[in-house]
């Protein structure tokens, strides 16, 4: 695929998400999780500890700015805003796929990203399908070094690839290649889905490979099958993708089941997280961190300040959820009673 084709595809993805398209037909399942309200909390909200440890760094709040993408010009500005906001807020950040950078094209990744966020955990990113197409340990090291990342995300997107007109549909051997990468790479490897969720069985398989963390990225947010359907020009491609409008494991269900299957893994809950109350629900279900991408994308196209303001509201909501459940810390929140 040419550099121009990759750039155009990424811009189309961004346009679909920004326009509100590609939304999953199922919700993330968070509304079914209801806390028992504590009418007499013996707490000062300002003293509630929202801190979390991730990749050897201490976060001020358990939040991850999940991977976003776009053509080079737009992605560079978006990533700059996100990195600066992550540094200001004390949260983590993941970049979009670095495939284009590996293949020699413009990636939209600013080499000064680490200087913009010297204290924030930064995660590099590549697709699992690339592991059987020439991407190995050397390339993994390159994408990590490219941005001074703390870890590598390998994203699983079989539904997107199956619905993408130019998608990589042959996944034979991807599991074995992923395990080999995890075993050989010095840096931590985080594995995430891209909107259809991780099952308990797959999560256990990945944990047994030795991955450092899992991101369930469940159904309820962006549906990348539908996004590919919206950008397709062939009516047959559109019809094919539309059948998967409600495909996947809702985020709330995925978090709970993966936590039960993998009690010791670092677990990230993302997919349809709307606000800080959903973040609190995700943590109560077993997530260590909560990721958000589409929900902050519009702010990311505007400015660093817009991203900071967005997450300040999310953090305030999470703090209030802790206050109204009598939770002085995230550890307490994980034990808060549910209705």
């Amino acid at each position: 695929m040419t550099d121009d084709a990759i750039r155009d595809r990424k811009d189309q993805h961004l346009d679909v998400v920004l326009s509100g398209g590609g939304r999953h037909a199922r919700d993330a399942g968070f509304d079914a999780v209801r806390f028992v309200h504590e009418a007499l909390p013996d707490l000062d909200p300002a003293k509630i500890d929202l801190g979390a440890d991730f990749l050897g760094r201490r976060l001020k709040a358990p939040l991850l700015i999940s991977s976003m993408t776009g053509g080079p010009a737009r992605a560079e500005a978006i990533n700059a805003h996100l990195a600066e906001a992550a540094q200001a807020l004390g949260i983590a950040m993941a970049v979009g796929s670095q495939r284009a950078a590996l293949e020699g094209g413009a990636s939209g990744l600013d080499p000064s990203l680490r200087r913009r966020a010297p204290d924030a955990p930064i995660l590099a990113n590549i697709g699992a399908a690339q592991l059987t197409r020439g991407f190995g340990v050397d390339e993994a090291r390159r994408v990590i070094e490219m941005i001074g990342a703390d870890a590598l995300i390998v994203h699983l997107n079989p539904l997107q690839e199956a619905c993408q007109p130019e998608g990589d549909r042959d996944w034979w051997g991807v599991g074995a290649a992923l395990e080999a990468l995890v075993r050989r790479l010095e840096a931590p490897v985080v594995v995430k889905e891209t909107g259809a969720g991780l099952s308990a069985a797959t999560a256990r398989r990945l944990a047994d490979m030795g991955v450092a963390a899992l991101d369930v990225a469940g159904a309820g947010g962006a549906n990348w099958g539908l996004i590919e359907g919206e950008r397709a020009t062939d009516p047959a491609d559109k019809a094919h993708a539309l059948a998967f409008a409600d495909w996947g494991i809702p985020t709330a269900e995925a978090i709970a089941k993966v936590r039960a299957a993998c009690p010791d893994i670092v677990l990230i809950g993302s997919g349809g997280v709307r606000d800080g109350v959903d973040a609190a629900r995700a943590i109560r279900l077993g997530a260590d961190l909560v990721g958000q991408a589409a929900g902050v994308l519009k702010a990311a196209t505007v400015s660093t300040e817009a991203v900071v303001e967005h997450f300040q509201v999310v953090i305030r909501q999470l703090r209030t959820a802790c206050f109204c459940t009598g939770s002085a810390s995230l550890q307490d929140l994980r034990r808060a009673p549910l209705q």
Side-chain angles (χ1 to χ4, degrees), residues 20-300:
R23 298 296 298 175
H24 211 284
R26 303 184 73 175
D27 67 47
F30 287 121
D31 287 341
V33 181
R34 302 189 67 84
F35 289 101
V36 173
H37 174 63
E38 174 53 71
L40 190 60
D42 291 314
L43 290 174
D44 177 354
K47 295 181 180 178
I48 291 173
D49 182 8
L50 298 181
D53 294 318
F54 183 56
L55 299 176
R57 296 175 187 256
R58 184 68 175 175
L59 305 180
K60 294 181 181 178
L63 299 176
L64 168 68
I65 303 174
S66 294
S67 307
M68 300 183 207
T69 189
R74 299 165 84 183
E76 183 170 351
I78 287 171
N79 283 319
H81 297 157
L82 295 177
E84 291 168 355
Q87 175 66 23
L89 294 161
I91 62 177
M93 173 197 173
V95 302
S97 174
Q98 293 169 260
R99 175 183 176 182
L102 280 178
E103 295 178 351
S107 67
L109 290 173
D110 184 345
S112 70
L113 208 60
R114 173 52 75 192
R115 292 198 298 273
R116 294 179 183 274
D119 304 309
I122 297 178
L123 285 72
N125 186 349
I126 194 71
Q130 302 311 305
L131 298 180
T132 56
R133 292 166 175 80
F135 182 95
V137 175
D138 290 342
E139 289 76 15
R141 291 174 181 142
R142 282 173 55 199
V143 297
I144 290 170
E145 292 168 2
M146 195 181 296
I147 57 172
D150 298 279
L152 174 70
I153 286 180
V154 178
H155 66 260
L156 309 178
N157 63 337
L159 178 60
Q160 179 184 11
E161 298 289 0
C163 294
Q164 187 179 103
E166 62 276 55
D168 295 318
R169 296 182 179 85
D170 183 1
W171 279 51
W172 179 258
V174 170
L178 174 58
E179 183 168 8
L181 177 68
V182 172
R183 302 291 186 194
R184 294 180 58 199
L185 188 65
E186 302 84 356
V189 175
V190 178
V191 176
K192 68 164 290 177
E193 234 286 340
T194 56
L198 289 176
S199 69
T202 298
R204 186 66 259 169
R205 179 184 175 193
L206 292 166
D208 289 343
M209 290 182 189
V211 303
L214 296 172
D215 185 342
V216 301
N223 181 321
W224 283 93
L226 289 183
I227 290 171
E228 295 297 349
E230 290 201 27
R231 60 176 289 268
T233 56
D234 186 332
D237 288 338
K238 291 183 178 293
H240 171 252
L242 188 61
F244 295 90
D246 66 349
W247 187 270
I249 306 166
T251 302
E253 177 184 339
I255 294 170
K257 290 186 175 180
V258 170
R259 175 51 76 205
C262 306
D264 300 320
I265 197 86
V266 175
L267 186 58
I268 303 165
S270 70
V273 174
R274 298 164 296 191
D275 50 37
V277 177
D278 279 354
R281 291 162 168 156
I283 290 167
R284 175 60 178 81
L285 292 171
D288 295 295
L289 263 66
V290 181
Q292 193 178 51
V296 71
L297 182 56
K298 185 175 181 180

Side-chain angles (χ1 to χ4, degrees), residues 10-35:
K10 291 180 179 297
D11 273 333
Q12 290 167 7
H13 289 160
L14 196 60
D15 289 337
V16 171
V17 176
L18 285 170
S19 69
R23 298 296 298 175
H24 211 284
R26 303 184 73 175
D27 67 47
F30 287 121
D31 287 341
V33 181
R34 302 189 67 84
F35 289 101

